[in-house]
Amino acid sequence: MLEIEALTVRYPNQPKPALEGVSMRVEGGERVALVGPSGGGKTTLFRAINGSVPSAAGAIVVGETLVAQAHGAALRALRRRIAVIAQMHDLVDRLAVYQNVMAGALGRWSSLHALRFLIHPNRRELGEAHAALERVGIAEKLRSRTSDLSGGQQQRVAIARALVQRPSVLLADEPVASLDPVLSEQILQLLCELARERGLALLCSLHQPQLAMRYFDRVIGLQHGRVVFDRPVAQLEAGTLVFAS
Ligand code: ADP
């Protein structure tokens, strides 16, 4: 589903590459945690997969699409297949929850359709938003104002929006960094369940190694822009996840 081969990414005017020779493969339904110190290259990797930063060498393939060759309509189609969940969710606070959820469908709607939806959502659209919210456990918030929700509920809205997008790859960039420990576990459990249930390739960066061990199938360590290990959880010991500086 997602294959990365010897990827190198350089930012302009930086002496060292942000990623160097990074290779990995994530199958549909597989849950992979990305761990490592700050500055290790996790966010850059997500940007490269999404086609937002160019690669200096190597290749990223999402499904059948070579990311470097996707431009214009092909790049938009690629981005529809990749849902992103950010650390501080990027919802529009003043909109109703269902409006934020259905933003996940914008990639498959015309501008006219999107405008009509904002003014007068139909029953089918509200039904789709309701179903996604039901799956993440907050169906009763369908018509609430998004700013009235707690941080954990807002992260659930972001996940519901990702479901509506019907992606094949789910990138979660520190999705629990601003949540308390109990909520963090609930959100990770939900993400991992959904990846398995819907056959999504899940790549999730995390700061807490113990959570990576508890919920994911595989853990990849990224440090100084390089993969320092890539192992199934069963073959990892907690000590492996401590990084030397
Ligand atoms: P992480 O997400 O693991 O903290 P990043 O991908 O943000 O790591 O950073 C990897 C490296 O790339 C770091 O050395 C960082 O300083 C550098 N970097 C990240 N973003 C930029 C940018 N926009 N311009 C220049 N350098 C950047």
Side-chain angles (χ1 to χ4, degrees):
M1 194 60 77
L2 169 65
E3 195 168 0
I4 300 172
E5 186 61 42
L7 176 69
T8 295
V9 172
R10 292 174 192 281
Y11 288 107
N13 307 318
Q14 294 291 317
K16 285 186 175 172
L19 293 174
E20 194 166 16
V22 167
S23 299
M24 65 183 68
R25 200 186 156 94
V26 189
E27 305 292 347
E30 194 178 17
R31 293 81 55 97
V32 177
L34 203 55
V35 299
S38 189
K42 301 182 289 298
T43 305
T44 301
L45 179 64
F46 287 149
R47 287 189 193 135
I49 295 170
N50 213 10
S52 314
V53 294
S55 50
I60 304 173
V61 181
V62 175
E64 307 283 293
T65 307
L66 192 57
V67 173
Q69 286 179 357
H71 304 286
L75 184 59
R76 286 195 294 279
L78 171 82
R79 288 183 175 154
R80 278 203 294 277
R81 303 189 59 192
I82 303 172
V84 180
I85 293 173
Q87 172 181 345
M88 294 301 290
H89 62 75
D90 47 356
L91 306 170
V92 183
D93 277 353
R94 65 192 154 74
L95 292 182
V97 166
Y98 73 82
Q99 291 173 315
N100 270 303
V101 171
M102 292 312 289
L106 288 180
R108 54 189 149 93
W109 287 353
S110 66
S111 318
L112 209 58
H113 187 158
L115 198 61
R116 197 267 303 139
F117 167 77
L118 274 177
I119 300 163
H120 184 68
N122 66 29
R123 282 175 62 158
R124 194 185 48 73
E125 289 153 354
L126 287 173
E128 188 175 354
H130 187 271
L133 287 166
E134 196 160 49
R135 181 60 193 87
V136 301
I138 51 166
E140 75 284 1
K141 301 293 183 192
L142 182 74
R143 291 179 183 276
S144 302
R145 195 182 159 99
T146 304
S147 54
D148 291 342
L149 270 53
S150 69
Q153 288 169 333
Q154 291 185 352
Q155 202 53 303
R156 286 175 195 270
V157 174
I159 297 172
R161 181 185 57 189
L163 292 181
V164 163
Q165 195 180 328
R166 301 178 200 156
S168 45
V169 173
L170 187 52
L171 302 179
D173 192 0
E174 308 242 359
V176 298
S178 51
L179 301 180
D180 69 42
V182 174
L183 276 176
S184 297
E185 300 229 6
Q186 289 172 358
I187 294 291
L188 289 181
Q189 189 170 2
L190 179 62
L191 281 174
C192 288
E193 269 173 26
L194 289 170
R196 179 57 53 87
E197 185 181 300
R198 309 208 172 191
L200 311 178
L202 171 62
L203 190 59
C204 175
S205 65
L206 277 180
H207 255 116
Q208 308 89 327
Q210 72 283 8
L211 293 180
M213 305 269 290
R214 193 165 315 149
Y215 293 105
F216 290 80
D217 300 312
R218 230 169 73 226
V219 184
I220 297 177
L222 205 56
Q223 186 175 27
H224 304 311
R226 292 174 173 273
V227 171
V228 288
F229 61 83
D230 178 348
R231 286 193 218 141
V233 160
Q235 293 175 18
L236 276 174
E237 290 161 30
T240 319
L241 302 180
V242 177
F243 292 86
S245 52

